[in-house]
């Protein structure tokens, strides 16, 4: 019952805005990854894509008038847009980057940043169009391929998402996030072996990246390799010590393997973490599962 979307989603990678890494509170819509459930244990789900679409608290639109742009260069407008984005004034940032583009139409970073800001305010189509233009101006723009892949995935175009992640990897062969996301989409399209290969590569490139361990564990579980799944969940739990969903996944798998004591220990840890987080709903669900196991 990891936060795949309909559940509790966690440990997400921050999106990059130019040189700014944004840490944002997020809530997400539903995914379509299949799940397996029994009466004694919770649903297991893979870790979501990194990073997911963000629905942020958006500041009120900027009240800046056109006259404030007249004496500023494209770079100055770009920089001011970044500062507004830091304050989560995404509408104001969009305005500044739009004006920067008017002054300098061949400004791929401004298109990229505006696309990301548009994702923050829910303009999915505008986001994709801006990434299109950024890539047209800068064909080796790995981050633009990566974010467009995410936007296309969340718009339902999974094949195009895979193409974009593949392009991001072509440009940046050590792009662990792109391997993880491509693996996730491949899994949803039924290519389990291709997904495992992508997770393997993501782990090779970034051994302390928990998501591919968790995602690979989920596929191994689906394919009947429950011991392999446990090993992957063990690795992920070493990286994410306070991830309730991780303990929930491993406890669920241990229950199916007949490791009652191990399952109880993991589920109790999950319950404690959910309670500490104030997540009453999932805390109560795990308590009920513990009662059944005991």
């Amino acid at each position: 019952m990891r936060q795949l979307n309909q559940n509790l989603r966690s440990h997400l990678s921050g999106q990059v805005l130019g040189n700014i890494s944004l840490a944002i509170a997020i809530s997400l819509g539903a995914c379509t990854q299949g799940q397996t459930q029994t009466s004694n244990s919770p649903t297991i789900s893979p870790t979501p894509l990194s990073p997911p679409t963000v629905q942020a608290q958006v500041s009120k639109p900027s009240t800046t008038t056109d006259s404030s742009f007249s004496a500023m260069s494209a770079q100055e407008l770009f920089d001011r847009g970044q500062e507004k984005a830091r304050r989560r004034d995404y509408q104001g940032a969009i305005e500044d980057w739009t004006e920067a583009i008017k002054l300098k139409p061949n400004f791929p970073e401004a298109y990229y940043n505006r696309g990301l800001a548009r994702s923050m305010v829910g303009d999915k189509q505008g986001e994709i169009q801006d990434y299109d233009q950024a890539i047209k101006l800068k064909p080796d723009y790995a981050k633009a391929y990566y974010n467009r892949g995410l936007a296309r995935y969340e718009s339902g175009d999974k094949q195009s998402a895979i193409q974009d992640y593949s392009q991001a990897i072509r440009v940046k062969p050590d792009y662990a996030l792109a391997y993880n996301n491509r693996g996730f989409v491949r899994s949803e399209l039924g290519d389990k072996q291709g997904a495992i290969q992508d997770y393997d590569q993501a782990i090779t490139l970034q051994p302390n990246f928990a998501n591919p361990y968790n995602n690979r564990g989920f596929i191994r579980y689906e394919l009947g390799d429950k011991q392999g799944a446990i090993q992957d969940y063990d690795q992920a739990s070493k990286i994410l010590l306070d991830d309730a969903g991780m303990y929930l996944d491993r406890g669920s798998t241990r229950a199916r393997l007949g490791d009652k004591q191990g399952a109880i220990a993991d589920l109790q840890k999950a319950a404690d973490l959910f309670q500490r987080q104030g997540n009453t709903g999932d805390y109560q669900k795990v308590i009920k599962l513990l009662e059944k196991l005991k």
Side-chain angles (χ1 to χ4, degrees), residues 138-164:
K138 188 177 177 181
D140 61 348
Y141 208 158
K143 287 187 294 186
Y145 285 116
Y146 175 83
N147 280 357
R148 189 176 69 179
L150 177 64
R152 284 175 162 174
Y153 167 83
E154 297 204 346
S155 297
D157 188 356
K158 296 178 183 180
Q159 289 293 352
S160 292
I162 287 177
Q163 291 170 12
D164 274 338

Side-chain angles (χ1 to χ4, degrees), residues 174-185:
D174 63 346
Y175 209 159
L177 291 176
Y179 276 108
N180 178 72
N181 281 18
R182 190 175 70 177
F184 186 94
V185 182

Side-chain angles (χ1 to χ4, degrees), residues 191-210:
D191 182 8
K192 306 297 184 185
Q193 292 304 323
I196 287 176
Q197 290 171 7
D198 276 344
Y199 295 141
D200 289 346
Q201 188 63 21
I203 290 166
T204 298
L205 291 168
Q206 196 171 326
N208 290 325
F209 185 16

